[in-house]
Amino acid sequence: MFQTERRFLRLLFLLCILHYEAGQVFGVWPMPQQITQSTDRYLLSPQSFSFSYSKDSAAQSGCSVLDSAFKRYYSLIFPDAADGARFSNIWMDPTPFTVSVSVKSGECDGYPDEGSDESYNLSVAAGAAALKAQSVWGALRGLESFSQLVYQDKYNMYFVNKTEIQDFPRFEFRGLLLDTSRHYLPLNAILKTLDAMAYSKFNVFHWHIVDDPSFPYQSYSYPDLSSKGAFHPMTHIYTQSDVKRVISHARMRGIRVIPEFDTPGHTQSWGKGQPNLLTPCYKGDVPSGTFGPVNPILDSTYQFMSGLFKEMKSVFPDSYVHLGGDEVNFACWKSNPNVRAFMTKMGFGHDYTKLESYYIENIVNISSALNKTPIVWQDVFDYRERIPKDTVLEIWKGVPADYRTELAKITHAGYRVLLSAPWYINHISYGQDWRNSYTVQPQNFSGTDQQKALVIGGEVCMWGEYVDATNLHPRLWPRACAAAERLWSNEEMTSNVDQAFPRLEKFRCSLIRRGIQAEPLFVGYCKDEYRGV
C-alpha cells in the first residue's frame, strides 16, 4: 500500500511541475536563422543525461574539440548537478536523454579559419537531441544553442522544449577587440572574455596586444621589446606560454586569434627596446630628444619588421594579421632633415601620405610573403595606398552617414571590409545604449549586391584607456551581445529592439549564472544573482 501511495504522490507531483510554466518557450541568443519550438517539454535528469557521437560522425571519441566541449557544456547545463540529481532521485526514476552529435568533417586537431563552416541543425525530441554539422566548429555553435534551451522551473527541475533549429551565421567574421597595452589585462580576464564570446557566438579575438603605452608581448626574437617596453618586465607581460594558452583556449571554443602589431604610429613603446626604429624628431636643426612614428626610410626598419613577423607567423596560426596603419602623425617626419631628403629623392614632394603609403606597402608585402592576409584600418585606403586586393579594410571612423559612405567607396574599389565604427563600446552613456548597437545595418549603404557581399562582418572594440580587469566584463557584457546578434542573425527577424529586450535580459541572466559580470540592462532581477565566482 505504501509503495502505491508513493508512486501516486510522485505522479501527482510530476504532473504539477509539468503543468507549471508549460506555456513558456525558452529562446537562443543570438537568434537562429530558423527556429520552431513547441510547448511540449521533456524532463532532464543530470545523472541520466549524456553527449555522444553518432555512428555516422567523422569525429568520434578522442576528438579534442568536442570531447572537451561535452564536459564543458555538461557543467554549464547542470551547474548544480549534484543537488539536482538527489532531488530527481527522490521523486522519480531518471529518464535517459542523449545529445547525439554528427559532423561530416573531423578537423579535430586544426584551427578555425576564414573558411570554417559554422552551420548546424538541431532537433530536440523526447529522450534525445540530434545535432548535425559540417564541422566541429558548427557543432560547437549547436552545443551552445542547446545549452541555452535548457531551463529550470521553480522547483529547480531541468527541462528542454521540443525544438527544431536550422542555423548558420550571417557574417563569417564576428570579432571582438581587446586592447592590452593601455592597461594590462591578466590572462584570466582574457580567458573569461573568450568564454563569453563563445556564449554569444563571436568567432574572432582581435588581440590589440601592443601600442604606445606598453609592449607586453614577450618576443623570443627581440626580448628587449617587452623587457624595456612593458609596464613591468615580469608581471605585466604575455609570455610565449601565455599566448599559447590563449590560442588553445580560443581554439577549443571555435575562436580565431588575430594579433595586431600596429605601425608606423602607436609605436612609442617599441622604441624603448629597439634602437633606431623610431624617427628622431627635430626642433630646428637639432634633435629634440623625442621620437615619432617608425622610421620609414631605413633598411634596418624593414629587416626588423620582417624578423618580427616571421616570429608572429610561427606563434599565431591564423591566416590573418592586423597591421594597423591608423592615426599617423606626420609632424615628426616633417621635422627630420633625413626624412625630408628621402621625400625629395623619392619624388614625394611634401605629401607625407605618400611616405606612409611607401611604408605600409612594404609591410603588407612582408606579411603577404609569409602567406598572411593583412587587415588594416581604413586610413590606409583613405590615403590611397597601393595594397593587394586580398587586403581587408576595417572602418572605425564616423557616424552612420560617414561609415556608409566609406563602405560604398571601399567595396566599390573591390576590397573586403569589416565594420567596427558603430561598436566602439568602450564609449559608455547612461541608459540602454545597447539599443544603438542593435539597430546597426552593416549592409545599408549605396552599392550593388556584389559590393554588399564584400562586407565580411564586423567587430566590437574595447579600447583600454579607462578599462582594466576591474571593469572589463561589466562594460563588455551584455552590450557586446547586441552586435553579436546583428552579425549572426537574420536582420529582418531581429529588427525590433523592444522584442529583443526580454530575450537579451534572459541571456544576461544566463551570463551571470555562468560567472560573467554582465551589467543590468534595466530595472529587474535574475533568479541567480552574481555571487562573485
Side-chain angles (χ1 to χ4, degrees):
M1 184 67 178
F2 174 75
Q3 291 295 331
T4 303
E5 288 179 351
R6 189 176 180 185
R7 289 194 186 99
F8 174 76
L9 288 172
R10 278 185 179 180
L11 179 59
L12 181 62
F13 182 76
L14 180 57
L15 288 173
C16 288
I17 27 183
L18 288 174
H19 175 74
Y20 178 75
E21 293 180 334
Q24 293 196 26
V25 174
F26 293 79
V28 174
W29 191 282
M31 174 81 77
Q33 300 292 334
Q34 296 182 38
I35 180 169
T36 304
Q37 291 180 287
S38 165
T39 54
D40 295 347
R41 64 182 190 169
Y42 315 112
L43 184 66
L44 301 182
S45 174
Q47 74 273 26
S48 61
F49 178 94
S50 64
F51 293 102
S52 70
Y53 296 91
S54 67
K55 293 181 179 179
D56 65 347
S57 176
Q60 293 292 333
S61 182
C63 175
S64 59
V65 172
L66 293 182
D67 284 354
S68 175
F70 292 166
K71 294 177 182 177
R72 187 167 68 249
Y73 276 105
Y74 181 89
S75 296
L76 291 173
I77 292 168
F78 304 113
D80 50 356
D83 292 339
R86 288 195 296 271
F87 196 85
S88 296
N89 285 333
I90 293 172
W91 294 102
M92 64 203 67
D93 296 326
T95 301
F97 192 100
T98 302
V99 178
S100 178
V101 177
S102 174
V103 295
K104 288 191 175 181
S105 176
E107 301 181 69
C108 294
D109 299 320
Y111 292 86
D113 210 332
E114 59 178 320
S116 296
D117 189 328
E118 297 176 279
S119 64
Y120 68 92
N121 291 341
L122 176 64
S123 179
V124 181
L131 172 59
K132 297 183 178 181
Q134 293 293 319
S135 71
V136 294
W137 318 119
L140 288 177
R141 306 301 173 229
L143 289 171
E144 175 57 38
S145 292
F146 178 82
S147 74
Q148 293 185 32
L149 292 173
V150 178
Y151 60 95
Q152 287 180 283
D153 66 4
K154 71 175 182 179
Y155 301 102
N156 291 325
M157 307 298 288
Y158 293 95
F159 291 92
V160 66
N161 285 65
K162 183 177 182 180
T163 307
E164 296 287 337
I165 293 177
Q166 294 182 345
D167 203 10
F168 56 87
R170 180 185 177 196
F171 292 104
E172 69 181 51
F173 193 112
R174 307 177 308 283
L176 187 152
L177 176 150
L178 288 186
D179 168 11
T180 57
S181 173
R182 291 174 175 85
H183 280 100
Y184 177 82
L185 293 176
L187 187 62
N188 284 342
I190 296 175
L191 299 182
K192 183 180 281 192
T193 300
L194 292 169
D195 291 341
M197 287 174 64
Y199 304 153
S200 304
K201 297 188 174 74
F202 283 106
N203 70 341
V204 177
F205 172 40
H206 175 174
W207 196 350
H208 189 87
I209 194 168
V210 298
D211 206 294
D212 281 328
S214 72
F215 197 107
Y217 170 74
Q218 189 178 59
S219 166
Y220 61 76
S221 303
Y222 305 96
D224 282 351
L225 289 170
S226 62
S227 66
K228 297 180 179 180
F231 287 135
H232 189 284
M234 298 296 291
T235 60
H236 286 59
I237 60 170
Y238 301 107
T239 66
Q240 291 291 314
S241 177
D242 292 336
V243 173
K244 288 179 181 177
R245 187 173 173 191
V246 168
I247 293 171
S248 175
H249 198 86
R251 183 182 85 89
M252 289 297 186
R253 288 151 182 78
I255 297 172
R256 303 161 58 188
V257 178
I258 298 178
E260 180 181 358
F261 290 91
D262 189 0
T263 64
H266 292 279
T267 49
Q268 289 298 299
S269 66
W270 300 48
K272 297 176 182 179
Q274 185 62 26
N276 303 318
L277 178 65
L278 303 185
T279 305
C281 305
Y282 276 68
K283 188 173 184 179
D285 296 330
V286 296
S288 66
T290 61
F291 295 87
V294 166
N295 194 331
I297 71 172
L298 301 178
D299 290 341
S300 60
T301 291
Y302 302 104
Q303 292 167 3
F304 163 75
M305 295 301 296
S306 180
L308 181 65
F309 276 67
K310 283 180 181 177
E311 174 183 321
M312 176 273 302
K313 176 181 172 66
S314 70
V315 173
F316 294 92
D318 199 83
S319 59
Y320 280 46
V321 61
H322 206 300
L323 303 177
D326 63 317
E327 295 184 313
V328 181
N329 189 323
F330 297 147
C332 186
W333 283 352
K334 290 178 180 179
S335 75
N336 186 296
N338 296 319
V339 173
R340 292 199 303 267
F342 184 83
M343 293 280 290
T344 300
K345 174 185 173 182
M346 298 298 292
F348 293 161
H350 300 288
D351 186 354
Y352 283 83
T353 65
K354 291 182 179 179
L355 181 59
E356 182 181 356
S357 297
Y358 172 83
Y359 173 82
I360 290 292
E361 288 165 19
N362 276 285
I363 297 303
V364 166
N365 289 337
I366 289 171
S367 66
S368 296
L370 296 170
N371 294 318
K372 291 285 188 179
T373 299
I375 306 175
V376 293
W377 297 108
Q378 70 180 81
D379 312 49
V380 173
F381 176 83
D382 294 342
Y383 286 152
R384 303 175 299 282
E385 296 169 13
R386 293 175 297 179
I387 50 177
K389 283 296 183 182
D390 70 338
T391 305
V392 178
L393 280 299
E394 183 165 3
I395 297 174
W396 67 276
K397 296 181 183 179
V399 297
D402 297 328
Y403 66 69
R404 285 170 187 158
T405 299
E406 192 79 1
L407 282 165
K409 288 180 180 178
I410 291 175
T411 57
H412 181 72
Y415 289 101
R416 291 176 296 166
V417 65
L418 297 169
L419 182 63
S420 63
W423 292 314
Y424 267 45
I425 64 171
N426 51 291
H427 298 159
I428 58 173
S429 60
Y430 190 78
Q432 299 186 42
D433 56 356
W434 69 271
R435 290 172 174 262
N436 297 328
S437 295
Y438 194 79
T439 56
V440 173
Q441 297 176 303
Q443 293 177 322
N444 182 18
F445 62 93
S446 179
T448 65
D449 289 343
Q450 289 79 6
Q451 284 179 251
K452 294 181 180 184
L454 291 172
V455 180
I456 62 173
E459 64 180 20
V460 166
C461 295
M462 181 57 75
W463 296 100
E465 288 89 347
Y466 304 99
V467 176
D468 66 7
T470 65
N471 63 347
L472 172 64
H473 298 297
R475 190 167 290 195
L476 261 178
W477 313 107
R479 295 163 73 232
C481 302
E485 181 150 292
R486 183 54 53 239
L487 292 168
W488 178 281
S489 305
N490 180 288
E491 189 172 275
E492 293 182 2
M493 288 173 56
T494 55
S495 61
N496 190 307
V497 185
D498 292 332
Q499 290 179 5
F501 177 82
R503 292 192 302 109
L504 184 55
E505 190 174 43
K506 175 185 175 294
F507 184 61
R508 180 256 172 178
C509 288
S510 297
L511 293 177
I512 291 292
R513 184 171 183 172
R514 294 180 178 190
I516 305 298
Q517 302 102 306
E519 69 178 16
L521 291 169
F522 195 53
V523 176
Y525 79 103
C526 292
K527 176 184 175 184
D528 299 288
E529 294 291 356
Y530 185 71
R531 295 181 173 87
V533 293

